[in-house]
Structure formats: structure tokens, C-alpha cells
Amino acid sequence: MDPVKANPQNYRVVFENDRVRVLEYTDTPGHSTIEHHHPDSVMITASTFRRRLSSNGHSIDVDMPAGVARWLPSQDHSGENIGETDTHAFFVELKEPDRGSTRVNGGSLGPEGP
């Protein structure tokens, strides 16, 4: 499910054209999202945060500093703010066809480093 439709209180579209869509995400400690889909994306953090991402019975905890960009391969997940700070991030979603990134069921969950 589209993140904006699944979690409209947290995601908003800040820019869109025929090649990319840019989402802004915010939440507070203890907040959880329902499962949603991200296509191949670049995540840019605007705050420092700690989250637990879950999909298909697997979970990963991620600690993200403010001001970094990370690749997010196409995946379905839900998330929970398990830290003590608000989450604030931007996602630049690619609209071109997936070129071989793996989805959670056979590959990555969460952001990948540089």
C-alpha cells in the first residue's frame, strides 16, 4: 500500500513529477505505522532517530543520524519509533521500473549505507 494512503498522518507529498515523488515523513516516540510499500528510494534524514522496521516476521533496528542520505531498496514494511526523539525524514522515490533491487522477502530490510 502507498505510504501516503496507509499513514496519511505521517507522510505527505512535497514534490512529484513523472520521474520521482518526494515524501516527507514525521512521527513521535512510540508511534507505529501500518505496513506500506516503498519503491527504490533515497532516504534523507532531517533528524536523528531510532526505528524498528518489520516485515514478514523479520525486524531490524536502525539508528540514523541527522543529515545523511541512504539507499532504500524496494520493500514493504511497518515501522515503529523506538527512540526518544521525533523522526523527520524525506524519501525520494524513483518511478522508473525496479532494476534488480531485492524486496524484503528475499533481500534487504531498511536503509543501506553509502
Side-chain angles (χ1 to χ4, degrees), residues 47-108:
S47 68
T48 298
F49 56 84
R50 180 171 169 76
R51 298 188 62 73
R52 177 167 295 134
L53 301 175
S54 302
S55 182
N56 297 323
H58 297 82
S59 293
I60 183 172
D61 292 350
V62 293
D63 291 291
M64 299 299 298
V68 298
R70 294 286 187 267
W71 177 249
L72 187 71
S74 175
Q75 60 189 263
D76 299 324
H77 67 235
S78 60
E80 178 184 2
N81 183 332
I82 59 171
E84 297 178 7
T85 61
D86 293 351
T87 303
H88 188 196
F90 293 88
F91 294 86
V92 180
E93 298 181 335
L94 304 180
K95 290 186 174 182
E96 65 187 30
D98 183 343
R99 296 183 189 248
S101 293
T102 42
R103 297 185 111 195
V104 157
N105 351 14
S108 299

Short mmCIF file of all heavy atoms in Angstrom, two decimals, residues 47-108:
data_model
loop_
_atom_site.label_atom_id
_atom_site.label_comp_id
_atom_site.label_asym_id
_atom_site.label_seq_id
_atom_site.Cartn_x
_atom_site.Cartn_y
_atom_site.Cartn_z
N SER A 47 16.47 14.55 11.01
CA SER A 47 16.67 14.47 12.46
C SER A 47 17.38 13.16 12.76
O SER A 47 17.46 12.27 11.93
CB SER A 47 15.32 14.51 13.20
OG SER A 47 14.58 13.32 12.95
N THR A 48 17.90 13.06 13.97
CA THR A 48 18.46 11.81 14.47
C THR A 48 17.29 10.99 15.02
O THR A 48 16.43 11.53 15.71
CB THR A 48 19.48 12.10 15.58
OG1 THR A 48 20.55 12.86 15.01
CG2 THR A 48 20.02 10.82 16.19
N PHE A 49 17.25 9.68 14.69
CA PHE A 49 16.14 8.86 15.19
C PHE A 49 16.53 7.40 15.27
O PHE A 49 17.52 6.96 14.70
CB PHE A 49 14.88 9.03 14.34
CG PHE A 49 15.05 8.74 12.87
CD1 PHE A 49 14.96 7.45 12.38
CD2 PHE A 49 15.29 9.77 11.97
CE1 PHE A 49 15.10 7.18 11.03
CE2 PHE A 49 15.42 9.52 10.61
CZ PHE A 49 15.34 8.23 10.14
N ARG A 50 15.70 6.64 16.01
CA ARG A 50 15.86 5.19 16.17
C ARG A 50 14.52 4.56 15.84
O ARG A 50 13.49 4.93 16.40
CB ARG A 50 16.29 4.87 17.60
CG ARG A 50 16.49 3.40 17.89
CD ARG A 50 17.12 3.23 19.29
NE ARG A 50 17.12 1.88 19.74
CZ ARG A 50 17.94 0.91 19.33
NH1 ARG A 50 18.84 1.19 18.42
NH2 ARG A 50 17.86 -0.30 19.80
N ARG A 51 14.53 3.57 14.92
CA ARG A 51 13.29 2.93 14.47
C ARG A 51 13.46 1.42 14.39
O ARG A 51 14.55 0.92 14.16
CB ARG A 51 12.90 3.44 13.07
CG ARG A 51 12.61 4.91 13.03
CD ARG A 51 12.04 5.36 11.71
NE ARG A 51 10.77 4.75 11.40
CZ ARG A 51 9.62 5.05 11.98
NH1 ARG A 51 9.58 5.94 12.94
NH2 ARG A 51 8.50 4.45 11.63
N ARG A 52 12.35 0.73 14.52
CA ARG A 52 12.30 -0.71 14.27
C ARG A 52 11.44 -0.90 13.03
O ARG A 52 10.29 -0.49 12.97
CB ARG A 52 11.69 -1.46 15.44
CG ARG A 52 11.55 -2.96 15.19
CD ARG A 52 11.24 -3.72 16.47
NE ARG A 52 12.40 -3.60 17.35
CZ ARG A 52 12.31 -3.30 18.65
NH1 ARG A 52 11.14 -3.11 19.23
NH2 ARG A 52 13.41 -3.19 19.38
N LEU A 53 12.02 -1.52 11.99
CA LEU A 53 11.31 -1.84 10.76
C LEU A 53 11.02 -3.33 10.75
O LEU A 53 11.88 -4.14 11.09
CB LEU A 53 12.16 -1.46 9.54
CG LEU A 53 12.55 0.02 9.46
CD1 LEU A 53 13.50 0.26 8.30
CD2 LEU A 53 11.33 0.90 9.35
N SER A 54 9.78 -3.69 10.37
CA SER A 54 9.36 -5.09 10.40
C SER A 54 8.65 -5.46 9.12
O SER A 54 7.91 -4.66 8.54
CB SER A 54 8.39 -5.33 11.57
OG SER A 54 9.00 -4.98 12.79
N SER A 55 8.89 -6.71 8.68
CA SER A 55 8.21 -7.26 7.50
C SER A 55 8.36 -8.77 7.51
O SER A 55 9.44 -9.30 7.78
CB SER A 55 8.83 -6.70 6.23
OG SER A 55 8.17 -7.20 5.10
N ASN A 56 7.26 -9.46 7.23
CA ASN A 56 7.27 -10.91 7.08
C ASN A 56 7.97 -11.63 8.24
O ASN A 56 8.73 -12.56 8.04
CB ASN A 56 7.95 -11.31 5.76
CG ASN A 56 7.20 -10.81 4.56
OD1 ASN A 56 5.97 -10.77 4.56
ND2 ASN A 56 7.93 -10.39 3.54
N GLY A 57 7.71 -11.19 9.46
CA GLY A 57 8.29 -11.84 10.62
C GLY A 57 9.72 -11.47 10.92
O GLY A 57 10.30 -12.00 11.87
N HIS A 58 10.32 -10.58 10.15
CA HIS A 58 11.69 -10.12 10.39
C HIS A 58 11.65 -8.68 10.87
O HIS A 58 10.80 -7.90 10.44
CB HIS A 58 12.52 -10.19 9.11
CG HIS A 58 12.69 -11.57 8.59
ND1 HIS A 58 11.73 -12.20 7.83
CD2 HIS A 58 13.70 -12.45 8.71
CE1 HIS A 58 12.15 -13.41 7.51
NE2 HIS A 58 13.34 -13.60 8.05
N SER A 59 12.59 -8.32 11.75
CA SER A 59 12.70 -6.94 12.23
C SER A 59 14.16 -6.53 12.23
O SER A 59 15.06 -7.36 12.38
CB SER A 59 12.17 -6.80 13.66
OG SER A 59 10.79 -7.02 13.71
N ILE A 60 14.36 -5.22 12.08
CA ILE A 60 15.70 -4.65 12.18
C ILE A 60 15.57 -3.30 12.87
O ILE A 60 14.62 -2.56 12.61
CB ILE A 60 16.38 -4.50 10.80
CG1 ILE A 60 17.80 -3.98 10.93
CG2 ILE A 60 15.56 -3.63 9.88
CD1 ILE A 60 18.60 -3.99 9.64
N ASP A 61 16.48 -3.02 13.80
CA ASP A 61 16.52 -1.72 14.46
C ASP A 61 17.56 -0.86 13.75
O ASP A 61 18.67 -1.34 13.47
CB ASP A 61 16.89 -1.86 15.94
CG ASP A 61 15.81 -2.56 16.75
OD1 ASP A 61 14.69 -2.76 16.22
OD2 ASP A 61 16.09 -2.89 17.92
N VAL A 62 17.19 0.38 13.45
CA VAL A 62 18.12 1.28 12.77
C VAL A 62 18.26 2.56 13.59
O VAL A 62 17.29 3.10 14.10
CB VAL A 62 17.67 1.61 11.32
CG1 VAL A 62 17.74 0.37 10.45
CG2 VAL A 62 16.29 2.21 11.27
N ASP A 63 19.50 3.00 13.73
CA ASP A 63 19.84 4.28 14.36
C ASP A 63 20.35 5.18 13.25
O ASP A 63 21.35 4.85 12.61
CB ASP A 63 20.94 4.10 15.41
CG ASP A 63 20.45 3.33 16.62
OD1 ASP A 63 19.61 3.89 17.35
OD2 ASP A 63 20.90 2.18 16.82
N MET A 64 19.66 6.28 13.02
CA MET A 64 20.02 7.17 11.92
C MET A 64 20.40 8.54 12.45
O MET A 64 19.62 9.15 13.19
CB MET A 64 18.85 7.30 10.94
CG MET A 64 18.43 5.99 10.28
SD MET A 64 19.72 5.20 9.29
CE MET A 64 20.00 6.44 8.06
N PRO A 65 21.58 9.05 12.08
CA PRO A 65 21.94 10.42 12.45
C PRO A 65 21.26 11.41 11.49
O PRO A 65 20.85 11.04 10.39
CB PRO A 65 23.45 10.44 12.26
CG PRO A 65 23.72 9.41 11.20
CD PRO A 65 22.66 8.35 11.38
N ALA A 66 21.16 12.64 11.92
CA ALA A 66 20.61 13.69 11.06
C ALA A 66 21.59 13.99 9.92
O ALA A 66 22.80 13.87 10.08
CB ALA A 66 20.35 14.95 11.88
N GLY A 67 21.04 14.36 8.78
CA GLY A 67 21.86 14.86 7.68
C GLY A 67 22.56 13.81 6.84
O GLY A 67 23.58 14.10 6.23
N VAL A 68 22.02 12.59 6.77
CA VAL A 68 22.63 11.57 5.92
C VAL A 68 21.63 11.14 4.84
O VAL A 68 20.43 11.29 5.00
CB VAL A 68 23.11 10.32 6.72
CG1 VAL A 68 24.18 10.71 7.72
CG2 VAL A 68 21.96 9.60 7.38
N ALA A 69 22.17 10.60 3.77
CA ALA A 69 21.35 10.03 2.70
C ALA A 69 21.68 8.55 2.61
O ALA A 69 22.85 8.16 2.66
CB ALA A 69 21.65 10.73 1.38
N ARG A 70 20.64 7.72 2.49
CA ARG A 70 20.80 6.27 2.40
C ARG A 70 19.90 5.71 1.31
O ARG A 70 18.78 6.18 1.12
CB ARG A 70 20.43 5.58 3.72
CG ARG A 70 21.34 5.90 4.88
CD ARG A 70 22.68 5.20 4.74
NE ARG A 70 23.50 5.37 5.90
CZ ARG A 70 24.39 6.33 6.07
NH1 ARG A 70 24.55 7.25 5.15
NH2 ARG A 70 25.12 6.39 7.16
N TRP A 71 20.38 4.69 0.64
CA TRP A 71 19.60 3.96 -0.36
C TRP A 71 18.60 3.07 0.37
O TRP A 71 18.95 2.40 1.35
CB TRP A 71 20.52 3.11 -1.22
CG TRP A 71 19.79 2.28 -2.23
CD1 TRP A 71 19.66 0.93 -2.22
CD2 TRP A 71 19.10 2.75 -3.39
NE1 TRP A 71 18.92 0.53 -3.30
CE2 TRP A 71 18.56 1.63 -4.04
CE3 TRP A 71 18.87 4.02 -3.93
CZ2 TRP A 71 17.81 1.73 -5.20
CZ3 TRP A 71 18.14 4.12 -5.09
CH2 TRP A 71 17.61 2.98 -5.72
N LEU A 72 17.35 3.06 -0.10
CA LEU A 72 16.32 2.19 0.44
C LEU A 72 15.80 1.34 -0.71
O LEU A 72 15.07 1.84 -1.56
CB LEU A 72 15.18 3.03 1.05
CG LEU A 72 14.10 2.27 1.79
CD1 LEU A 72 14.64 1.72 3.11
CD2 LEU A 72 12.91 3.19 2.06
N PRO A 73 16.23 0.07 -0.79
CA PRO A 73 15.74 -0.78 -1.88
C PRO A 73 14.23 -1.01 -1.73
O PRO A 73 13.70 -0.94 -0.63
CB PRO A 73 16.53 -2.07 -1.74
CG PRO A 73 16.98 -2.10 -0.32
CD PRO A 73 17.09 -0.68 0.13
N SER A 74 13.59 -1.29 -2.82
CA SER A 74 12.15 -1.55 -2.84
C SER A 74 11.79 -2.54 -1.73
O SER A 74 12.42 -3.59 -1.60
CB SER A 74 11.77 -2.12 -4.21
OG SER A 74 10.43 -2.50 -4.24
N GLN A 75 10.78 -2.18 -0.91
CA GLN A 75 10.41 -3.05 0.20
C GLN A 75 9.05 -2.69 0.76
O GLN A 75 8.57 -1.56 0.62
CB GLN A 75 11.45 -2.99 1.32
CG GLN A 75 11.65 -1.61 1.90
CD GLN A 75 12.84 -1.58 2.86
OE1 GLN A 75 12.64 -1.70 4.07
NE2 GLN A 75 14.04 -1.48 2.32
N ASP A 76 8.44 -3.67 1.41
CA ASP A 76 7.22 -3.50 2.18
C ASP A 76 7.62 -3.62 3.65
O ASP A 76 8.36 -4.53 4.00
CB ASP A 76 6.20 -4.58 1.86
CG ASP A 76 5.78 -4.56 0.41
OD1 ASP A 76 5.66 -3.47 -0.18
OD2 ASP A 76 5.55 -5.65 -0.15
N HIS A 77 7.15 -2.70 4.49
CA HIS A 77 7.45 -2.79 5.92
C HIS A 77 6.49 -1.94 6.73
O HIS A 77 5.75 -1.12 6.19
CB HIS A 77 8.90 -2.39 6.22
CG HIS A 77 9.21 -0.95 5.96
ND1 HIS A 77 10.23 -0.55 5.13
CD2 HIS A 77 8.63 0.20 6.39
CE1 HIS A 77 10.27 0.77 5.10
NE2 HIS A 77 9.31 1.26 5.86
N SER A 78 6.50 -2.17 8.04
CA SER A 78 5.88 -1.27 9.00
C SER A 78 7.02 -0.76 9.86
O SER A 78 8.11 -1.34 9.88
CB SER A 78 4.83 -1.99 9.84
OG SER A 78 5.42 -3.06 10.56
N GLY A 79 6.79 0.35 10.56
CA GLY A 79 7.86 0.93 11.36
C GLY A 79 7.35 1.40 12.71
O GLY A 79 6.17 1.71 12.87
N GLU A 80 8.26 1.47 13.67
CA GLU A 80 7.93 1.96 15.00
C GLU A 80 9.07 2.85 15.47
O GLU A 80 10.24 2.47 15.38
CB GLU A 80 7.74 0.80 15.97
CG GLU A 80 7.45 1.23 17.38
CD GLU A 80 7.35 0.07 18.35
OE1 GLU A 80 7.56 -1.08 17.94
OE2 GLU A 80 7.09 0.34 19.53
N ASN A 81 8.73 4.02 16.00
CA ASN A 81 9.73 4.91 16.59
C ASN A 81 10.05 4.36 17.97
O ASN A 81 9.24 4.48 18.90
CB ASN A 81 9.19 6.34 16.66
CG ASN A 81 10.20 7.33 17.20
OD1 ASN A 81 11.08 6.96 17.97
ND2 ASN A 81 10.06 8.59 16.81
N ILE A 82 11.22 3.74 18.13
CA ILE A 82 11.61 3.13 19.41
C ILE A 82 12.61 4.00 20.16
O ILE A 82 13.16 3.59 21.17
CB ILE A 82 12.17 1.71 19.20
CG1 ILE A 82 13.38 1.72 18.28
CG2 ILE A 82 11.08 0.77 18.69
CD1 ILE A 82 14.12 0.39 18.19
N GLY A 83 12.83 5.21 19.66
CA GLY A 83 13.77 6.12 20.29
C GLY A 83 13.11 7.13 21.18
O GLY A 83 11.93 7.00 21.54
N GLU A 84 13.87 8.16 21.51
CA GLU A 84 13.38 9.22 22.39
C GLU A 84 13.24 10.54 21.66
O GLU A 84 12.99 11.57 22.29
CB GLU A 84 14.33 9.36 23.58
CG GLU A 84 14.39 8.10 24.44
CD GLU A 84 15.37 8.21 25.60
OE1 GLU A 84 15.92 9.30 25.84
OE2 GLU A 84 15.57 7.18 26.27
N THR A 85 13.40 10.53 20.32
CA THR A 85 13.30 11.75 19.53
C THR A 85 12.29 11.56 18.42
O THR A 85 11.97 10.43 18.02
CB THR A 85 14.66 12.11 18.89
OG1 THR A 85 15.07 11.04 18.03
CG2 THR A 85 15.73 12.35 19.96
N ASP A 86 11.78 12.66 17.90
CA ASP A 86 10.89 12.62 16.75
C ASP A 86 11.67 12.14 15.52
O ASP A 86 12.88 12.36 15.42
CB ASP A 86 10.33 14.01 16.43
CG ASP A 86 9.39 14.52 17.52
OD1 ASP A 86 9.03 13.75 18.43
OD2 ASP A 86 9.03 15.71 17.44
N THR A 87 10.97 11.48 14.61
CA THR A 87 11.54 11.10 13.33
C THR A 87 11.15 12.16 12.31
O THR A 87 9.99 12.57 12.25
CB THR A 87 10.98 9.74 12.85
OG1 THR A 87 11.22 8.75 13.84
CG2 THR A 87 11.61 9.31 11.53
N HIS A 88 12.13 12.61 11.51
CA HIS A 88 11.87 13.53 10.41
C HIS A 88 12.80 13.14 9.27
O HIS A 88 14.02 13.16 9.42
CB HIS A 88 12.12 14.97 10.83
CG HIS A 88 11.67 15.98 9.82
ND1 HIS A 88 12.09 17.28 9.86
CD2 HIS A 88 10.85 15.88 8.74
CE1 HIS A 88 11.55 17.95 8.86
NE2 HIS A 88 10.81 17.12 8.15
N ALA A 89 12.20 12.73 8.15
CA ALA A 89 12.99 12.27 7.01
C ALA A 89 12.26 12.57 5.72
O ALA A 89 11.04 12.80 5.71
CB ALA A 89 13.26 10.77 7.12
N PHE A 90 13.01 12.55 4.63
CA PHE A 90 12.47 12.72 3.28
C PHE A 90 12.82 11.49 2.46
O PHE A 90 13.91 10.92 2.62
CB PHE A 90 13.04 13.98 2.61
CG PHE A 90 12.60 15.24 3.27
CD1 PHE A 90 13.31 15.77 4.34
CD2 PHE A 90 11.46 15.90 2.84
CE1 PHE A 90 12.89 16.94 4.96
CE2 PHE A 90 11.04 17.07 3.45
CZ PHE A 90 11.76 17.59 4.52
N PHE A 91 11.91 11.08 1.59
CA PHE A 91 12.13 9.94 0.70
C PHE A 91 11.98 10.43 -0.74
O PHE A 91 10.95 11.00 -1.09
CB PHE A 91 11.09 8.84 0.95
CG PHE A 91 11.22 8.21 2.30
CD1 PHE A 91 10.60 8.78 3.41
CD2 PHE A 91 11.97 7.05 2.48
CE1 PHE A 91 10.73 8.21 4.66
CE2 PHE A 91 12.09 6.47 3.73
CZ PHE A 91 11.47 7.05 4.83
N VAL A 92 13.00 10.19 -1.54
CA VAL A 92 12.93 10.48 -2.97
C VAL A 92 12.68 9.14 -3.66
O VAL A 92 13.59 8.32 -3.80
CB VAL A 92 14.23 11.14 -3.49
CG1 VAL A 92 14.12 11.43 -4.98
CG2 VAL A 92 14.55 12.41 -2.70
N GLU A 93 11.42 8.90 -4.02
CA GLU A 93 11.01 7.64 -4.62
C GLU A 93 11.19 7.68 -6.13
O GLU A 93 10.75 8.63 -6.78
CB GLU A 93 9.54 7.35 -4.33
CG GLU A 93 9.21 7.21 -2.88
CD GLU A 93 7.74 6.90 -2.66
OE1 GLU A 93 6.90 7.24 -3.52
OE2 GLU A 93 7.44 6.32 -1.62
N LEU A 94 11.86 6.65 -6.66
CA LEU A 94 12.05 6.55 -8.11
C LEU A 94 10.82 5.93 -8.75
O LEU A 94 10.27 4.96 -8.23
CB LEU A 94 13.28 5.70 -8.42
CG LEU A 94 14.59 6.16 -7.78
CD1 LEU A 94 15.72 5.22 -8.17
CD2 LEU A 94 14.90 7.59 -8.15
N LYS A 95 10.40 6.49 -9.87
CA LYS A 95 9.23 5.95 -10.57
C LYS A 95 9.62 5.03 -11.72
O LYS A 95 8.76 4.37 -12.28
CB LYS A 95 8.36 7.09 -11.10
CG LYS A 95 7.66 7.84 -9.99
CD LYS A 95 6.72 8.86 -10.57
CE LYS A 95 5.90 9.53 -9.50
NZ LYS A 95 4.93 10.49 -10.09
N GLU A 96 10.90 4.95 -12.05
CA GLU A 96 11.32 4.05 -13.13
C GLU A 96 11.20 2.62 -12.64
O GLU A 96 11.18 2.36 -11.43
CB GLU A 96 12.74 4.35 -13.56
CG GLU A 96 13.78 4.09 -12.49
CD GLU A 96 15.16 4.55 -12.89
OE1 GLU A 96 15.29 5.50 -13.65
OE2 GLU A 96 16.13 3.93 -12.41
N PRO A 97 11.11 1.66 -13.54
CA PRO A 97 10.99 0.26 -13.13
C PRO A 97 12.17 -0.19 -12.28
O PRO A 97 13.29 0.27 -12.47
CB PRO A 97 10.98 -0.51 -14.46
CG PRO A 97 10.61 0.50 -15.50
CD PRO A 97 11.10 1.83 -14.98
N ASP A 98 11.88 -1.07 -11.34
CA ASP A 98 12.91 -1.67 -10.49
C ASP A 98 13.93 -2.36 -11.38
O ASP A 98 13.57 -3.15 -12.25
CB ASP A 98 12.22 -2.68 -9.56
CG ASP A 98 13.16 -3.33 -8.58
OD1 ASP A 98 14.39 -3.28 -8.77
OD2 ASP A 98 12.66 -3.91 -7.61
N ARG A 99 15.20 -2.09 -11.16
CA ARG A 99 16.26 -2.67 -11.99
C ARG A 99 17.08 -3.71 -11.23
O ARG A 99 18.28 -3.78 -11.36
CB ARG A 99 17.16 -1.57 -12.52
CG ARG A 99 16.43 -0.63 -13.43
CD ARG A 99 17.36 0.39 -14.00
NE ARG A 99 16.59 1.39 -14.70
CZ ARG A 99 16.61 1.56 -16.00
NH1 ARG A 99 17.36 0.81 -16.75
NH2 ARG A 99 15.88 2.50 -16.56
N GLY A 100 16.39 -4.49 -10.42
CA GLY A 100 17.08 -5.61 -9.77
C GLY A 100 17.24 -5.48 -8.28
O GLY A 100 17.84 -6.33 -7.67
N SER A 101 16.72 -4.43 -7.66
CA SER A 101 16.78 -4.36 -6.20
C SER A 101 15.94 -5.49 -5.63
O SER A 101 14.95 -5.89 -6.21
CB SER A 101 16.21 -3.03 -5.70
OG SER A 101 17.04 -1.98 -6.10
N THR A 102 16.36 -5.99 -4.48
CA THR A 102 15.61 -7.08 -3.87
C THR A 102 14.62 -6.56 -2.87
O THR A 102 14.88 -5.60 -2.16
CB THR A 102 16.58 -8.06 -3.17
OG1 THR A 102 17.56 -7.29 -2.47
CG2 THR A 102 17.24 -8.99 -4.13
N ARG A 103 13.49 -7.21 -2.83
CA ARG A 103 12.47 -6.88 -1.85
C ARG A 103 12.78 -7.62 -0.56
O ARG A 103 13.58 -8.53 -0.53
CB ARG A 103 11.09 -7.30 -2.37
CG ARG A 103 10.73 -6.55 -3.62
CD ARG A 103 9.35 -6.93 -3.99
NE ARG A 103 8.67 -5.70 -3.73
CZ ARG A 103 7.40 -5.50 -3.62
NH1 ARG A 103 6.59 -6.44 -3.75
NH2 ARG A 103 6.88 -4.36 -3.37
N VAL A 104 12.09 -7.24 0.48
CA VAL A 104 12.31 -7.80 1.80
C VAL A 104 12.26 -9.32 1.84
O VAL A 104 13.08 -9.94 2.49
CB VAL A 104 11.30 -7.18 2.78
CG1 VAL A 104 11.05 -8.04 3.97
CG2 VAL A 104 11.81 -5.83 3.22
N ASN A 105 11.33 -9.96 1.13
CA ASN A 105 11.19 -11.41 1.24
C ASN A 105 12.46 -12.14 0.82
O ASN A 105 12.68 -13.25 1.23
CB ASN A 105 10.03 -11.97 0.42
CG ASN A 105 9.11 -10.98 -0.17
OD1 ASN A 105 9.40 -9.78 -0.23
ND2 ASN A 105 7.99 -11.44 -0.63
N GLY A 106 13.29 -11.53 -0.01
CA GLY A 106 14.50 -12.21 -0.40
C GLY A 106 15.73 -11.35 -0.23
O GLY A 106 16.81 -11.73 -0.61
N GLY A 107 15.59 -10.18 0.34
CA GLY A 107 16.73 -9.28 0.38
C GLY A 107 16.73 -8.36 1.58
O GLY A 107 16.54 -8.80 2.70
N SER A 108 16.91 -7.10 1.32
CA SER A 108 17.15 -6.10 2.36
C SER A 108 15.89 -5.62 3.04
O SER A 108 14.84 -5.53 2.45
CB SER A 108 17.87 -4.90 1.75
OG SER A 108 19.11 -5.29 1.22
#
